[in-house]
Amino acid sequence: MVAMEAKARPSRRYALLMAAHDSEYVLKRYGGYLPVFVSAFGDDTAAAAGEAWDLYRAVDGELPAPEDIDGYDGFVISGSPHDAYGDDPWILRLCVLVRDLHAARRRVLGVCFGHQLICRALGGRVGKAPAGWDVGVREVSIIAEAAPPCRFLDALRELPRRAMITEVHQDEVWEVPEGAEVLASSDRTGVEMFRVGEHVLGIQGHPEYTKDILLSLVDRLLNAGSISVSFADAVKRQLEATAADREFWLKLCKSFLKADEEHAYI
């Protein structure tokens, strides 16, 4: 386990469950994915002196021990090149952990693979997207009024009807778990965001990704033969003219992760 925290004793602690290995680019540019997620979802206010983040390399079988779960205020499950519907031992163990966290009403945020894995773990259905790879920046339609009312969404006051988000995936949620509510969709993906109660949130896109990280991933997919040159060029042209509404998505994720605080992030 790798920890990142301020010198002061942490008043809030979060666990990042990494379902992928650090890429060479992210290691060189950011020092790994942990700093990327902390920069995106961590609290950058003066009150953040006591906030701590621990990294568990779930892809290598590393997960919090049962006795450590209560010590965390929230859990974040990352994206991954692996399939959330796969039966690798580490994926099955992560599904068990998600079910335990759900039963204990612990706060869990999943992005991309994490979004899909949460869905699978709680009884939903995931699989390959019929339309194939979705890479770039996509507009999603957001359901402004949750039923029943949702505190972390209310903290954002007026939600936009549409927002752009970074996407890099070829799998998707086919059917949400029983009791889940779809919060956003797009013309490519029926479930761009869903929640279960106040404690589980899945987002298909990547709020944490910066433009340069996406461009690096496009080059990796191209070099691996996963996408064509024309596909990669089209994504790069789009990124010259279009940007994700990253500030909105980061506020949404922070509001969710910190919704139990006296003053939710707004």
Side-chain angles (χ1 to χ4, degrees), residues 216-233:
S216 173
L217 275 168
V218 170
D219 287 339
R220 286 170 57 197
L221 290 172
L222 178 60
N223 292 334
S226 299
I227 60 175
S228 66
V229 173
S230 60
F231 188 107
D233 287 344

Side-chain angles (χ1 to χ4, degrees), residues 17-184:
L17 310 179
M18 274 300 303
H21 293 112
D22 295 322
S23 69
E24 290 184 11
Y25 176 81
V26 169
L27 273 173
K28 182 178 180 180
R29 176 71 175 81
Y30 296 97
Y33 276 114
L34 177 59
V36 171
F37 276 92
V38 173
S39 175
F41 299 155
D43 195 338
D44 56 3
T45 67
E51 186 173 288
W53 286 74
D54 295 335
L55 170 65
Y56 293 88
R57 299 190 184 279
V59 68
D60 294 327
E62 186 179 66
L63 294 174
E67 61 270 21
D68 294 333
I69 287 176
D70 287 343
Y72 290 103
D73 296 281
F75 300 79
V76 177
I77 305 175
S78 78
S80 175
H82 298 271
D83 299 325
Y85 45 83
D87 289 328
D88 306 66
W90 71 270
I91 292 177
L92 298 180
R93 288 185 60 212
L94 190 53
C95 284
V96 171
L97 176 61
V98 167
R99 287 192 285 271
D100 290 343
L101 295 175
H102 171 55
R105 294 299 187 268
R106 309 304 298 177
R107 196 166 296 278
V108 185
L109 167 64
V111 297
C112 199
F113 169 91
H115 158 88
Q116 297 159 14
L117 181 123
I118 291 171
C119 175
R120 174 196 180 177
L122 300 186
R125 297 175 62 237
V126 300
K128 281 278 186 272
W133 278 101
D134 188 4
V135 183
V137 177
R138 182 159 299 280
E139 182 180 77
V140 304
S141 299
I142 298 171
I143 299 173
E145 295 182 1
C150 182
R151 182 182 176 189
F152 73 86
L153 292 178
D154 290 344
L156 294 174
R157 303 179 187 242
E158 294 184 6
L159 287 172
R161 291 293 182 178
R162 295 176 177 80
M164 307 295 287
I165 192 168
T166 299
E167 304 268 13
V168 185
H169 67 99
Q170 62 175 338
D171 298 333
E172 65 182 12
V173 169
W174 287 351
E175 182 180 330
V176 295
E178 182 177 356
E181 179 184 5
V182 177
L183 297 176

